[in-house]
Amino acid sequence: MAEEVKVFGAWGSPYSRRVELALQLKGVQYEYIEEDIPKNKSPLLLKYNPVHKKIPVLLHNGKPIAESLVILEYIEETWKGNPILPEDPYDKAMARFWAKFVDEKCMPALWKAGWSPESEREKPVEEACECLKTLESALGGKRFFGGDTVGMVDIAAIFIGYWLRLIQEATGMELLSAEKFPELFKWTDEFVSCSVVKGSLPPRDKLLAFIKARIAAAMDQAQTNASK
Amino acid sequence: MAEEVKVFGAWGSPYSRRVELALQLKGVQYEYIEEDIPKNKSPLLLKYNPVHKKIPVLLHNGKPIAESLVILEYIEETWKGNPILPEDPYDKAMARFWAKFVDEKCMPALWKAGWSPESEREKPVEEACECLKTLESALGGKRFFGGDTVGMVDIAAIFIGYWLRLIQEATGMELLSAEKFPELFKWTDEFVSCSVVKGSLPPRDKLLAFIKARIAAAMDQAQTNASK
């Protein structure tokens, strides 16, 4: 019997793209189901992720898994080829540490910096730069966080590798530049040039338009709140 | 050469107790180093966890690992006896999902509910109860989250297993009771009765006094803030 592998995602979400990238790196065929978030979540999504009600969900032979980092670990254990985690327990712990850092520190800081109105940007931008600086230290001269190949930390950092520079283009804000963080900047070039990564990213123009629309909506919201 | 295993922790912290419990379950000998947090962190702690500057840190043969859930995974991979994660990738993913849920949803909600002044408790208490209800569903009639033995989710939930009922005793607040969450309540009894768990918990009276002092300090702080 053929394996059933389905991904419930949203095309503009870095979280579901993480899952797709990992599956593509492993050469796993899957069916992709686009969810209309946040307003029209499908009954299947709510059934498969009743706790968080969020994408992504990986469905493997009828069994659902939620939370992108948990899904990445599952993919690594289920399809062994092209490993995304090192063999050595200590190196593996380091990869997990940095993936968690990306999720819990970098993502919220970058999110805040990206969607804040210009007048409130100073502190979030400072925090985001601090995160990027720390993350750059984890690269330590390597081509990828995973060494010579894309690994779990690279996949977790997909937002920094692709979304961030488009957000900068849309806002004129500069968090990540070749001057400020040369190694991390170089990594984003390496990352998006990688053929499998390239094939798993949303189209540039479509994503840029999406980001611009989101920023405009966030600014409108901020103005509405300010005039209340 | 003998292995060097050190834990940098704080006696009243459920996070460093997680690490100690896992090592004790595995029968690993370790040296415990008490850190004076948050004010007098040792130079060694800052050296070993420069990113978060927090306990716990596990030092294994000179190599430091931070973040309690990352440490638990490392312990599981390094010392194979008495596994705390299931073998099967899907079951393992479920354990990781619930450990993450405890960390990211339950802990912040319980923390807020526990330390809020009575007048501001309603919403945090509601959130915390929602989390406990969801967590109870994960037990699904088993003795432990790990099945017949204590596993990673049980260890992650150590705060709910031991601290929470003492916080309730100190505050008179009732989040977790036999009436509201019978299975989860029973689990706390099973958990603290387990001999290895019992041996790894802080002394009851000392912890209760510590919790009372923290609550009093939090209330003072809230009053100071309110009168500003």
Side-chain angles (χ1 to χ4, degrees), chain A residues 136-196:
Chain A
E136 187 172 67
S137 75
L139 257 177
K142 289 175 296 188
R143 186 172 165 210
F144 296 112
F145 290 96
D148 293 330
T149 53
V150 165
M152 189 178 285
V153 184
D154 300 277
I155 299 172
I158 193 170
F159 178 83
I160 298 166
Y162 188 61
W163 274 250
L164 183 56
R165 282 171 66 178
L166 292 181
I167 292 175
Q168 300 193 157
E169 199 176 317
T171 54
M173 178 178 57
E174 197 187 70
L175 292 166
L176 177 60
S177 66
E179 290 69 39
K180 281 197 221 163
F181 305 111
E183 279 203 54
L184 196 60
F185 192 83
K186 197 168 145 243
W187 168 80
T188 66
D189 282 335
E190 291 278 359
F191 182 69
V192 299
S193 309
C194 205
S195 63
V196 64

Short mmCIF file of all heavy atoms in Angstrom, two decimals, chain A residues 136-196:
data_model
loop_
_atom_site.label_atom_id
_atom_site.label_comp_id
_atom_site.label_asym_id
_atom_site.label_seq_id
_atom_site.Cartn_x
_atom_site.Cartn_y
_atom_site.Cartn_z
N GLU A 136 23.94 34.53 14.56
CA GLU A 136 25.13 34.54 13.70
C GLU A 136 26.28 33.80 14.38
O GLU A 136 27.03 33.07 13.73
CB GLU A 136 25.54 35.96 13.35
CG GLU A 136 26.67 35.98 12.32
CD GLU A 136 26.99 37.36 11.78
OE1 GLU A 136 27.48 38.20 12.57
OE2 GLU A 136 26.78 37.60 10.59
N SER A 137 26.38 33.97 15.69
CA SER A 137 27.47 33.30 16.42
C SER A 137 27.36 31.79 16.29
O SER A 137 28.37 31.07 16.36
CB SER A 137 27.47 33.73 17.89
OG SER A 137 26.42 33.08 18.58
N ALA A 138 26.14 31.29 16.11
CA ALA A 138 25.94 29.84 15.99
C ALA A 138 26.42 29.31 14.64
O ALA A 138 26.70 28.12 14.50
CB ALA A 138 24.47 29.49 16.19
N LEU A 139 26.49 30.18 13.65
CA LEU A 139 26.97 29.74 12.34
C LEU A 139 28.46 29.39 12.41
O LEU A 139 28.91 28.39 11.82
CB LEU A 139 26.78 30.84 11.30
CG LEU A 139 25.63 30.72 10.33
CD1 LEU A 139 25.56 31.94 9.44
CD2 LEU A 139 25.72 29.46 9.48
N GLY A 140 29.20 30.23 13.11
CA GLY A 140 30.63 29.95 13.37
C GLY A 140 31.42 29.59 12.12
O GLY A 140 32.19 28.62 12.14
N GLY A 141 31.21 30.34 11.05
CA GLY A 141 32.04 30.14 9.85
C GLY A 141 31.58 29.01 8.94
O GLY A 141 32.17 28.76 7.89
N LYS A 142 30.53 28.29 9.34
CA LYS A 142 30.05 27.20 8.50
C LYS A 142 29.20 27.75 7.35
O LYS A 142 28.69 28.85 7.42
CB LYS A 142 29.19 26.22 9.32
CG LYS A 142 29.99 25.38 10.31
CD LYS A 142 29.07 24.54 11.17
CE LYS A 142 28.19 25.43 12.04
NZ LYS A 142 27.39 24.73 13.03
N ARG A 143 29.03 26.92 6.32
CA ARG A 143 28.19 27.33 5.20
C ARG A 143 26.72 27.35 5.62
O ARG A 143 26.00 28.31 5.36
CB ARG A 143 28.41 26.33 4.05
CG ARG A 143 27.70 26.73 2.78
CD ARG A 143 28.11 25.82 1.64
NE ARG A 143 27.19 25.98 0.53
CZ ARG A 143 26.88 25.03 -0.34
NH1 ARG A 143 27.43 23.82 -0.22
NH2 ARG A 143 26.04 25.26 -1.31
N PHE A 144 26.31 26.26 6.25
CA PHE A 144 24.95 26.18 6.79
C PHE A 144 25.04 25.91 8.30
O PHE A 144 26.09 25.48 8.78
CB PHE A 144 24.17 25.02 6.13
CG PHE A 144 23.95 25.22 4.66
CD1 PHE A 144 24.59 24.39 3.74
CD2 PHE A 144 23.12 26.22 4.19
CE1 PHE A 144 24.40 24.57 2.38
CE2 PHE A 144 22.92 26.41 2.83
CZ PHE A 144 23.57 25.59 1.91
N PHE A 145 23.96 26.14 9.00
CA PHE A 145 23.95 25.77 10.42
C PHE A 145 24.22 24.28 10.55
O PHE A 145 24.83 23.82 11.50
CB PHE A 145 22.61 26.14 11.07
CG PHE A 145 22.41 27.62 11.20
CD1 PHE A 145 21.70 28.33 10.24
CD2 PHE A 145 22.95 28.32 12.26
CE1 PHE A 145 21.51 29.71 10.35
CE2 PHE A 145 22.78 29.70 12.38
CZ PHE A 145 22.05 30.39 11.42
N GLY A 146 23.73 23.53 9.58
CA GLY A 146 23.93 22.09 9.59
C GLY A 146 25.31 21.66 9.08
O GLY A 146 25.56 20.46 8.93
N GLY A 147 26.19 22.60 8.80
CA GLY A 147 27.53 22.26 8.28
C GLY A 147 27.57 22.47 6.78
O GLY A 147 27.30 23.56 6.29
N ASP A 148 27.87 21.39 6.04
CA ASP A 148 27.92 21.51 4.57
C ASP A 148 26.55 21.39 3.92
O ASP A 148 26.38 21.70 2.74
CB ASP A 148 28.85 20.42 3.99
CG ASP A 148 30.28 20.66 4.40
OD1 ASP A 148 30.64 21.85 4.59
OD2 ASP A 148 31.02 19.68 4.58
N THR A 149 25.60 20.89 4.69
CA THR A 149 24.25 20.73 4.13
C THR A 149 23.20 21.37 5.04
O THR A 149 23.47 21.62 6.22
CB THR A 149 23.89 19.22 3.96
OG1 THR A 149 24.11 18.58 5.22
CG2 THR A 149 24.75 18.55 2.90
N VAL A 150 22.04 21.59 4.47
CA VAL A 150 20.93 22.20 5.21
C VAL A 150 20.43 21.22 6.28
O VAL A 150 20.16 20.06 5.98
CB VAL A 150 19.80 22.54 4.21
CG1 VAL A 150 18.49 22.83 4.92
CG2 VAL A 150 20.22 23.73 3.34
N GLY A 151 20.35 21.70 7.52
CA GLY A 151 19.87 20.85 8.62
C GLY A 151 18.69 21.49 9.33
O GLY A 151 18.10 22.45 8.83
N MET A 152 18.37 20.94 10.50
CA MET A 152 17.17 21.39 11.19
C MET A 152 17.17 22.89 11.53
O MET A 152 16.13 23.55 11.45
CB MET A 152 16.95 20.57 12.47
CG MET A 152 15.59 20.88 13.09
SD MET A 152 15.25 19.94 14.54
CE MET A 152 14.86 18.35 13.85
N VAL A 153 18.33 23.42 11.91
CA VAL A 153 18.38 24.84 12.28
C VAL A 153 18.15 25.72 11.04
O VAL A 153 17.44 26.72 11.10
CB VAL A 153 19.71 25.19 12.98
CG1 VAL A 153 19.71 26.65 13.44
CG2 VAL A 153 19.96 24.27 14.15
N ASP A 154 18.75 25.32 9.92
CA ASP A 154 18.51 26.05 8.67
C ASP A 154 17.03 26.05 8.33
O ASP A 154 16.47 27.08 7.94
CB ASP A 154 19.29 25.40 7.53
CG ASP A 154 20.79 25.38 7.78
OD1 ASP A 154 21.45 26.39 7.51
OD2 ASP A 154 21.29 24.35 8.27
N ILE A 155 16.42 24.88 8.48
CA ILE A 155 14.99 24.76 8.15
C ILE A 155 14.16 25.61 9.11
O ILE A 155 13.25 26.33 8.69
CB ILE A 155 14.54 23.28 8.20
CG1 ILE A 155 15.33 22.46 7.17
CG2 ILE A 155 13.05 23.16 7.94
CD1 ILE A 155 15.11 20.96 7.27
N ALA A 156 14.52 25.55 10.41
CA ALA A 156 13.79 26.36 11.40
C ALA A 156 13.93 27.85 11.08
O ALA A 156 13.01 28.63 11.30
CB ALA A 156 14.30 26.06 12.80
N ALA A 157 15.09 28.22 10.52
CA ALA A 157 15.38 29.64 10.27
C ALA A 157 14.91 30.09 8.88
O ALA A 157 15.32 31.15 8.40
CB ALA A 157 16.87 29.91 10.47
N ILE A 158 14.05 29.33 8.25
CA ILE A 158 13.59 29.63 6.88
C ILE A 158 13.03 31.05 6.77
O ILE A 158 13.23 31.73 5.75
CB ILE A 158 12.56 28.57 6.41
CG1 ILE A 158 12.29 28.64 4.91
CG2 ILE A 158 11.26 28.67 7.18
CD1 ILE A 158 11.46 27.44 4.37
N PHE A 159 12.40 31.53 7.82
CA PHE A 159 11.84 32.88 7.82
C PHE A 159 12.95 33.92 7.67
O PHE A 159 12.82 34.90 6.94
CB PHE A 159 11.07 33.11 9.13
CG PHE A 159 10.48 34.48 9.28
CD1 PHE A 159 9.26 34.80 8.71
CD2 PHE A 159 11.15 35.46 10.01
CE1 PHE A 159 8.72 36.08 8.86
CE2 PHE A 159 10.61 36.74 10.16
CZ PHE A 159 9.39 37.04 9.58
N ILE A 160 14.06 33.68 8.38
CA ILE A 160 15.20 34.61 8.32
C ILE A 160 15.88 34.49 6.96
O ILE A 160 16.36 35.47 6.39
CB ILE A 160 16.18 34.31 9.48
CG1 ILE A 160 15.46 34.54 10.81
CG2 ILE A 160 17.44 35.19 9.39
CD1 ILE A 160 16.17 33.98 12.02
N GLY A 161 15.89 33.28 6.43
CA GLY A 161 16.56 33.05 5.15
C GLY A 161 15.83 33.67 3.96
O GLY A 161 16.47 34.02 2.97
N TYR A 162 14.51 33.82 4.05
CA TYR A 162 13.78 34.26 2.86
C TYR A 162 12.79 35.40 3.16
O TYR A 162 12.84 36.45 2.53
CB TYR A 162 13.03 33.07 2.28
CG TYR A 162 12.38 33.32 0.93
CD1 TYR A 162 13.15 33.68 -0.17
CD2 TYR A 162 11.01 33.18 0.77
CE1 TYR A 162 12.54 33.90 -1.41
CE2 TYR A 162 10.40 33.40 -0.47
CZ TYR A 162 11.18 33.75 -1.55
OH TYR A 162 10.58 33.97 -2.77
N TRP A 163 11.94 35.21 4.13
CA TRP A 163 10.90 36.20 4.44
C TRP A 163 11.50 37.54 4.85
O TRP A 163 11.04 38.60 4.42
CB TRP A 163 10.00 35.70 5.57
CG TRP A 163 8.85 34.84 5.17
CD1 TRP A 163 7.53 35.17 5.20
CD2 TRP A 163 8.89 33.49 4.68
NE1 TRP A 163 6.76 34.13 4.77
CE2 TRP A 163 7.56 33.08 4.44
CE3 TRP A 163 9.92 32.58 4.42
CZ2 TRP A 163 7.24 31.82 3.96
CZ3 TRP A 163 9.61 31.33 3.93
CH2 TRP A 163 8.30 30.96 3.70
N LEU A 164 12.52 37.46 5.72
CA LEU A 164 13.02 38.68 6.35
C LEU A 164 13.50 39.73 5.35
O LEU A 164 13.17 40.91 5.47
CB LEU A 164 14.14 38.32 7.35
CG LEU A 164 14.70 39.50 8.15
CD1 LEU A 164 13.62 40.26 8.90
CD2 LEU A 164 15.78 39.02 9.13
N ARG A 165 14.24 39.28 4.35
CA ARG A 165 14.75 40.26 3.39
C ARG A 165 13.62 40.85 2.54
O ARG A 165 13.69 42.00 2.12
CB ARG A 165 15.87 39.64 2.54
CG ARG A 165 17.18 39.62 3.36
CD ARG A 165 18.29 38.85 2.71
NE ARG A 165 18.77 39.46 1.48
CZ ARG A 165 19.79 38.96 0.76
NH1 ARG A 165 20.41 37.86 1.18
NH2 ARG A 165 20.18 39.55 -0.35
N LEU A 166 12.56 40.10 2.35
CA LEU A 166 11.40 40.65 1.64
C LEU A 166 10.66 41.66 2.52
O LEU A 166 10.17 42.68 2.03
CB LEU A 166 10.46 39.53 1.19
CG LEU A 166 11.00 38.59 0.10
CD1 LEU A 166 9.96 37.55 -0.27
CD2 LEU A 166 11.42 39.38 -1.15
N ILE A 167 10.59 41.36 3.81
CA ILE A 167 9.96 42.31 4.74
C ILE A 167 10.76 43.62 4.74
O ILE A 167 10.20 44.71 4.75
CB ILE A 167 9.86 41.71 6.16
CG1 ILE A 167 8.86 40.55 6.18
CG2 ILE A 167 9.46 42.77 7.19
CD1 ILE A 167 8.77 39.80 7.48
N GLN A 168 12.08 43.46 4.72
CA GLN A 168 12.93 44.66 4.68
C GLN A 168 12.68 45.47 3.41
O GLN A 168 12.64 46.69 3.44
CB GLN A 168 14.41 44.25 4.80
CG GLN A 168 14.70 43.52 6.09
CD GLN A 168 16.17 43.35 6.42
OE1 GLN A 168 16.50 43.18 7.58
NE2 GLN A 168 17.06 43.40 5.44
N GLU A 169 12.52 44.75 2.32
CA GLU A 169 12.24 45.42 1.05
C GLU A 169 10.91 46.17 1.12
O GLU A 169 10.80 47.30 0.64
CB GLU A 169 12.20 44.36 -0.06
CG GLU A 169 12.39 44.92 -1.46
CD GLU A 169 12.42 43.80 -2.50
OE1 GLU A 169 13.08 42.75 -2.26
OE2 GLU A 169 11.78 43.97 -3.56
N ALA A 170 9.93 45.54 1.76
CA ALA A 170 8.60 46.14 1.82
C ALA A 170 8.54 47.35 2.76
O ALA A 170 7.78 48.28 2.53
CB ALA A 170 7.58 45.09 2.27
N THR A 171 9.35 47.29 3.84
CA THR A 171 9.25 48.34 4.86
C THR A 171 10.36 49.38 4.76
O THR A 171 10.25 50.46 5.34
CB THR A 171 9.36 47.73 6.28
OG1 THR A 171 10.58 46.97 6.34
CG2 THR A 171 8.17 46.86 6.60
N GLY A 172 11.44 49.03 4.10
CA GLY A 172 12.60 49.93 4.08
C GLY A 172 13.42 49.80 5.36
O GLY A 172 14.44 50.46 5.53
N MET A 173 12.98 48.95 6.25
CA MET A 173 13.68 48.74 7.51
C MET A 173 14.87 47.81 7.27
O MET A 173 14.77 46.89 6.46
CB MET A 173 12.70 48.07 8.46
CG MET A 173 13.24 47.70 9.81
SD MET A 173 11.91 46.98 10.81
CE MET A 173 11.39 45.62 9.78
N GLU A 174 15.98 48.05 7.96
CA GLU A 174 17.13 47.17 7.76
C GLU A 174 17.58 46.50 9.06
O GLU A 174 18.18 47.13 9.92
CB GLU A 174 18.30 47.96 7.16
CG GLU A 174 19.35 47.04 6.55
CD GLU A 174 20.57 47.81 6.11
OE1 GLU A 174 21.32 48.29 7.00
OE2 GLU A 174 20.77 47.94 4.91
N LEU A 175 17.22 45.24 9.19
CA LEU A 175 17.65 44.48 10.36
C LEU A 175 18.87 43.65 9.99
O LEU A 175 19.87 43.62 10.70
CB LEU A 175 16.54 43.52 10.80
CG LEU A 175 15.27 44.14 11.38
CD1 LEU A 175 14.18 43.10 11.45
CD2 LEU A 175 15.55 44.72 12.75
N LEU A 176 18.75 42.98 8.88
CA LEU A 176 19.79 42.04 8.45
C LEU A 176 20.44 42.60 7.17
O LEU A 176 19.79 42.69 6.13
CB LEU A 176 19.14 40.68 8.13
CG LEU A 176 20.06 39.59 7.60
CD1 LEU A 176 21.17 39.26 8.58
CD2 LEU A 176 19.26 38.33 7.29
N SER A 177 21.71 42.98 7.32
CA SER A 177 22.43 43.48 6.14
C SER A 177 23.82 42.86 6.11
O SER A 177 24.28 42.30 7.11
CB SER A 177 22.55 45.00 6.20
OG SER A 177 23.39 45.36 7.28
N ALA A 178 24.46 42.98 4.95
CA ALA A 178 25.81 42.43 4.81
C ALA A 178 26.78 43.15 5.74
O ALA A 178 27.77 42.57 6.20
CB ALA A 178 26.27 42.56 3.37
N GLU A 179 26.48 44.41 6.06
CA GLU A 179 27.37 45.18 6.94
C GLU A 179 27.20 44.75 8.40
O GLU A 179 28.18 44.53 9.10
CB GLU A 179 27.08 46.69 6.84
CG GLU A 179 27.49 47.33 5.51
CD GLU A 179 26.62 46.88 4.35
OE1 GLU A 179 25.39 46.72 4.54
OE2 GLU A 179 27.18 46.62 3.25
N LYS A 180 25.94 44.62 8.82
CA LYS A 180 25.69 44.32 10.24
C LYS A 180 26.01 42.88 10.59
O LYS A 180 26.63 42.60 11.61
CB LYS A 180 24.21 44.59 10.55
CG LYS A 180 23.88 46.05 10.76
CD LYS A 180 22.54 46.15 11.47
CE LYS A 180 21.69 47.26 10.91
NZ LYS A 180 20.28 47.16 11.24
N PHE A 181 25.53 41.96 9.77
CA PHE A 181 25.70 40.54 10.08
C PHE A 181 26.17 39.80 8.83
O PHE A 181 25.39 39.08 8.19
CB PHE A 181 24.37 39.95 10.59
CG PHE A 181 23.80 40.68 11.76
CD1 PHE A 181 22.64 41.43 11.64
CD2 PHE A 181 24.44 40.65 13.00
CE1 PHE A 181 22.11 42.12 12.72
CE2 PHE A 181 23.93 41.34 14.08
CZ PHE A 181 22.76 42.09 13.94
N PRO A 182 27.47 39.99 8.49
CA PRO A 182 27.97 39.47 7.21
C PRO A 182 27.78 37.96 7.04
O PRO A 182 27.39 37.50 5.96
CB PRO A 182 29.45 39.85 7.22
CG PRO A 182 29.78 40.27 8.61
CD PRO A 182 28.51 40.72 9.24
N GLU A 183 28.02 37.22 8.11
CA GLU A 183 27.93 35.75 7.98
C GLU A 183 26.50 35.29 7.79
O GLU A 183 26.20 34.42 6.98
CB GLU A 183 28.52 35.08 9.21
CG GLU A 183 30.03 34.99 9.17
CD GLU A 183 30.49 33.86 10.07
OE1 GLU A 183 30.03 32.71 9.90
OE2 GLU A 183 31.33 34.14 10.95
N LEU A 184 25.61 35.89 8.58
CA LEU A 184 24.21 35.50 8.51
C LEU A 184 23.62 35.93 7.17
O LEU A 184 22.80 35.22 6.57
CB LEU A 184 23.44 36.14 9.67
CG LEU A 184 22.07 35.56 10.00
CD1 LEU A 184 22.17 34.09 10.37
CD2 LEU A 184 21.41 36.33 11.16
N PHE A 185 24.06 37.08 6.69
CA PHE A 185 23.59 37.57 5.40
C PHE A 185 24.03 36.63 4.28
O PHE A 185 23.25 36.28 3.40
CB PHE A 185 24.15 38.99 5.17
CG PHE A 185 23.50 39.70 4.03
CD1 PHE A 185 22.29 40.36 4.19
CD2 PHE A 185 24.10 39.72 2.77
CE1 PHE A 185 21.68 41.02 3.13
CE2 PHE A 185 23.50 40.38 1.70
CZ PHE A 185 22.29 41.03 1.89
N LYS A 186 25.29 36.22 4.38
CA LYS A 186 25.83 35.28 3.39
C LYS A 186 25.05 33.96 3.46
O LYS A 186 24.76 33.34 2.42
CB LYS A 186 27.32 35.03 3.68
CG LYS A 186 28.08 34.42 2.53
CD LYS A 186 29.58 34.49 2.78
CE LYS A 186 30.26 33.27 2.21
NZ LYS A 186 30.93 32.43 3.20
N TRP A 187 24.72 33.56 4.68
CA TRP A 187 23.93 32.33 4.83
C TRP A 187 22.59 32.42 4.11
O TRP A 187 22.17 31.46 3.47
CB TRP A 187 23.71 32.02 6.32
CG TRP A 187 22.68 30.94 6.52
CD1 TRP A 187 22.86 29.60 6.41
CD2 TRP A 187 21.28 31.13 6.81
NE1 TRP A 187 21.68 28.94 6.61
CE2 TRP A 187 20.69 29.86 6.87
CE3 TRP A 187 20.48 32.25 7.05
CZ2 TRP A 187 19.34 29.66 7.14
CZ3 TRP A 187 19.14 32.08 7.31
CH2 TRP A 187 18.57 30.80 7.36
N THR A 188 21.93 33.57 4.19
CA THR A 188 20.63 33.69 3.50
C THR A 188 20.81 33.50 1.99
O THR A 188 19.97 32.88 1.34
CB THR A 188 19.91 35.05 3.77
OG1 THR A 188 20.66 36.11 3.18
CG2 THR A 188 19.72 35.33 5.24
N ASP A 189 21.94 34.01 1.45
CA ASP A 189 22.21 33.80 0.02
C ASP A 189 22.44 32.32 -0.30
O ASP A 189 21.90 31.79 -1.26
CB ASP A 189 23.44 34.62 -0.41
CG ASP A 189 23.11 36.09 -0.60
OD1 ASP A 189 21.92 36.40 -0.87
OD2 ASP A 189 24.01 36.93 -0.45
N GLU A 190 23.25 31.70 0.54
CA GLU A 190 23.54 30.27 0.35
C GLU A 190 22.25 29.47 0.44
O GLU A 190 21.99 28.56 -0.36
CB GLU A 190 24.49 29.76 1.45
CG GLU A 190 25.90 30.28 1.38
CD GLU A 190 26.75 29.51 0.37
OE1 GLU A 190 26.25 28.56 -0.26
OE2 GLU A 190 27.93 29.87 0.23
N PHE A 191 21.45 29.82 1.44
CA PHE A 191 20.24 29.07 1.73
C PHE A 191 19.26 29.11 0.55
O PHE A 191 18.84 28.07 0.05
CB PHE A 191 19.60 29.65 3.00
CG PHE A 191 18.36 28.95 3.47
CD1 PHE A 191 18.42 27.65 3.97
CD2 PHE A 191 17.12 29.58 3.44
CE1 PHE A 191 17.28 27.00 4.42
CE2 PHE A 191 15.97 28.94 3.89
CZ PHE A 191 16.05 27.65 4.38
N VAL A 192 18.96 30.31 0.09
CA VAL A 192 17.97 30.40 -0.99
C VAL A 192 18.51 29.94 -2.34
O VAL A 192 17.75 29.70 -3.27
CB VAL A 192 17.35 31.83 -1.13
CG1 VAL A 192 16.62 32.22 0.15
CG2 VAL A 192 18.41 32.86 -1.48
N SER A 193 19.85 29.80 -2.44
CA SER A 193 20.43 29.31 -3.70
C SER A 193 20.42 27.80 -3.80
O SER A 193 20.61 27.21 -4.86
CB SER A 193 21.88 29.77 -3.84
OG SER A 193 21.98 31.14 -3.62
N CYS A 194 20.25 27.16 -2.65
CA CYS A 194 20.24 25.70 -2.57
C CYS A 194 19.03 25.21 -3.38
O CYS A 194 17.91 25.66 -3.15
CB CYS A 194 20.05 25.38 -1.10
SG CYS A 194 20.65 23.82 -0.60
N SER A 195 19.26 24.28 -4.32
CA SER A 195 18.16 23.97 -5.25
C SER A 195 16.90 23.46 -4.56
O SER A 195 15.79 23.85 -4.91
CB SER A 195 18.63 23.02 -6.35
OG SER A 195 19.00 21.81 -5.76
N VAL A 196 17.08 22.59 -3.57
CA VAL A 196 15.88 22.04 -2.91
C VAL A 196 15.15 23.12 -2.12
O VAL A 196 13.91 23.14 -2.05
CB VAL A 196 16.22 20.80 -2.04
CG1 VAL A 196 17.13 21.17 -0.90
CG2 VAL A 196 14.96 20.14 -1.52
#
